[in-house]
Amino acid sequence: MTTRPRDGVRRVVTGWRRMAASTPAGRDRHVDLIRAVAIAAVVTGHWLVVYVTWGPSGPTGRSILELVPWTHPLTWIFQVMPLFFLVGGFANAASLTSHLARGGNGTGWTLDRAARLVQPTTVLLCGLAAGAFVARSLGAPPATVGTAVWLASIPLWFLVAYIAVVFLTPFMYGLHRRAGLAVPIVLAAMVGADDVARLGFGVPYVGTANYLLAWLAVHQLGFAVQDGRLPSRWRVALPLAAAGLAVLVLLTVAGPYPVSMVGVTGERTQNTAPPTLALLALAVTQTGVALSLRGLGNRWLRRPGPWTVVVAVNSVIMTLFLWHMTAVVFGVALLYGTGVLPSAAPGSAFWLLLRIPWVACLALILAVLVVVFGRFERRADRRSRPVEPIPGVLPATLTVAGAGAVVAGLLGVALAGPGPHGPAGLPAGVLATYLAGAALLELVRRHRRPASRCTTVSR
């Protein structure tokens, strides 16, 4: 009996080594490294930015960015969402072109690509709803439960945009094939025009479009890296990074945009809500840096040890991202609710010292969550096969309807706020909309015909 957990760990590690050893020789491993480093930065950044105090009425949380201004420049390092869209564009272009070359179509690719995102997300939402119901049944205050669910669901802000971009990939890749780098340039110009209208003339609502336009622009850069239109030669990459950094400094230090690349409550302008031209300048800087390190990264990852670690992280990357704020909820209760971690002045030396046990505890909690829920992500990957839906207009229409419901549901969850929302901790209508969309997408995936020439797409 005592050897079973050890045997389970050994099987998982053996599986990672087998996956690493079977990697095709032509795979760009640097892309996987960027994704792994980016998820580590996101998780660590979110954990470090949380400032918690515990009083008679329970926990109170704020962002350290609101309290300690000197932390704002650090967001240029920890704001790595542009890298996710860059790498996503690279991977989506590679898998889509492979799928189309084998006789598939855009609808079939979209269904299987979306399944890798929707299925783990469904597990998170159902888990949060079940946890909220149990907590409410045990007498937890509705406001506390609502705040906990809201905090745990913060990662869904990112997924709203990313899933929308994935669904648009077949169309946007067609534009890329025809116009290349002109597409992200035009998209960036549209973001700038929205900024001018919103910030310069007070035009309402126009900034909302930037939530899609900005991330589409970065995703298109990933297309250009994948097919070589944006080369990784240092003569191109380093000037690109330098130009992006110069524009970033000009727009933030000397211009109208805030320095922080993460939203700070109380600031008139934020760079992520909605995304701004300054955030795109950061994206260009990060793209240049990533390209300049591409050759070095690929050579280093030929070593089995580092590559196995990267493979292991990427095999549960959605689980790490989706559940890392749930780890914060448990960590607040365990460390601050019990008095193990005392309160400290934000930004003080003592507060910085306390970040060590804080991050270590959250890492342990997240590891447990990955062990429990990572299997659903791996199962979604194993089940993902680029086979074609039954031909006709109806499957494509149902795919669009399911995608719309999923995005609308996630957007509703993200906008719901920390207030109490019934026994599930989430608005019932919003949750039902998401689940209906996810079920519809799965229904279309199941009613499909095999495509003998298709094989599993790359992650």
Side-chain angles (χ1 to χ4, degrees):
M1 293 292 291
T2 58
T3 61
R4 288 182 180 178
R6 186 179 303 171
D7 291 341
V9 172
R10 186 180 295 113
R11 283 195 299 271
V12 172
V13 174
T14 301
W16 289 336
R17 289 173 176 168
R18 188 180 301 115
M19 291 170 60
S22 62
T23 302
R27 186 178 182 91
D28 194 322
R29 304 184 182 202
H30 183 60
V31 172
D32 299 280
L33 175 63
I34 293 173
R35 189 189 292 116
V37 171
I39 194 64
V42 167
V43 170
T44 306
H46 280 171
W47 289 352
L48 291 176
V49 82
V50 174
Y51 177 73
V52 180
T53 56
W54 194 287
S57 59
T60 301
R62 296 183 67 182
S63 169
I64 199 69
L65 297 172
E66 303 171 20
L67 305 171
V68 186
W70 62 258
T71 60
H72 291 190
L74 297 178
T75 60
W76 292 16
I77 299 173
F78 288 100
Q79 175 53 279
V80 292
M81 285 304 173
L83 288 177
F84 278 109
F85 282 91
L86 178 74
V87 171
F90 185 103
N92 289 334
S95 63
L96 178 61
T97 53
S98 176
H99 182 60
L100 296 177
R102 292 179 172 90
N105 62 26
T107 301
W109 177 87
T110 300
L111 286 168
D112 284 295
R113 204 68 175 172
R116 299 181 172 193
L117 304 171
V118 172
Q119 291 178 13
T121 304
T122 302
V123 173
L124 171 71
L125 287 173
C126 291
L128 293 181
F133 182 79
V134 171
R136 290 283 297 273
S137 300
L138 295 176
T144 301
V145 174
T147 299
V149 172
W150 168 78
L151 183 63
S153 63
I154 283 178
L156 298 181
W157 273 105
F158 164 78
L159 279 183
V160 172
Y162 189 74
I163 289 180
V165 167
V166 167
F167 285 129
L168 290 172
T169 291
F171 172 73
M172 297 303 298
Y173 190 72
L175 287 181
H176 169 75
R177 293 290 298 272
R178 290 189 291 271
L181 287 170
V183 179
I185 292 173
V186 170
L187 290 169
M190 295 172 69
V191 171
D194 281 351
D195 284 356
V196 171
R198 178 171 58 94
L199 303 177
F201 299 96
V203 179
Y205 307 119
V206 294
T208 304
N210 284 1
Y211 284 106
L212 184 60
L213 296 175
W215 296 125
L216 276 175
V218 184
H219 197 250
Q220 296 291 129
L221 290 180
F223 292 168
V225 174
Q226 191 273 334
D227 68 4
R229 299 193 194 205
L230 190 59
S232 56
R233 296 189 300 270
W234 67 267
R235 292 182 181 86
V236 175
L238 291 181
L240 183 68
L245 182 60
V247 173
L248 179 60
V249 172
L250 181 65
L251 291 176
T252 56
V253 177
Y257 297 94
V259 171
S260 176
M261 291 293 120
V262 177
V264 179
T265 302
E267 286 190 340
R268 175 179 174 271
T269 304
Q270 298 186 9
N271 284 314
T272 54
T276 64
L277 204 57
L279 186 64
L280 286 184
L282 176 66
V284 171
T285 304
Q286 293 177 346
T287 298
V289 173
L291 288 176
S292 66
L293 297 174
R294 191 176 182 182
L296 179 63
N298 276 316
R299 288 192 295 272
W300 181 59
L301 291 174
R302 294 296 173 186
R303 300 168 58 185
W307 177 235
T308 301
V309 173
V310 171
V311 168
V313 173
N314 277 275
S315 70
V316 289
I317 198 161
M318 274 290 291
T319 308
L320 288 168
F321 178 74
L322 288 171
W323 291 90
H324 77 276
M325 292 305 292
T326 303
V328 173
V329 174
F330 285 116
V332 169
L334 290 174
L335 296 179
Y336 288 95
T338 60
V340 172
L341 280 188
S343 297
S348 64
F350 186 44
W351 180 84
L352 290 172
L353 183 62
L354 291 176
R355 295 311 88 200
I356 298 175
W358 168 249
V359 170
C361 181
L362 295 187
L364 180 60
I365 295 171
L366 182 57
V368 174
L369 292 172
V370 169
V371 169
V372 175
F373 297 106
R375 68 190 69 179
F376 297 101
E377 180 177 0
R378 292 190 294 269
R379 187 180 303 167
D381 276 349
R382 288 195 300 267
R383 292 176 58 197
S384 180
R385 295 293 185 271
V387 297
E388 296 309 299
I390 298 173
V393 176
L394 182 59
T397 303
L398 293 178
T399 299
V400 172
V406 164
V407 172
L410 289 176
L411 182 60
V413 172
L415 294 174
H421 300 291
L426 295 165
V430 166
L431 184 59
T433 299
Y434 170 84
L435 292 176
L440 187 57
L441 291 174
E442 184 64 19
L443 179 66
V444 180
R445 285 186 74 244
R446 289 177 180 272
H447 289 76
R448 58 191 187 177
R449 62 178 174 83
S452 59
R453 290 185 295 164
C454 291
T455 55
T456 304
V457 295
S458 64
R459 187 180 180 90

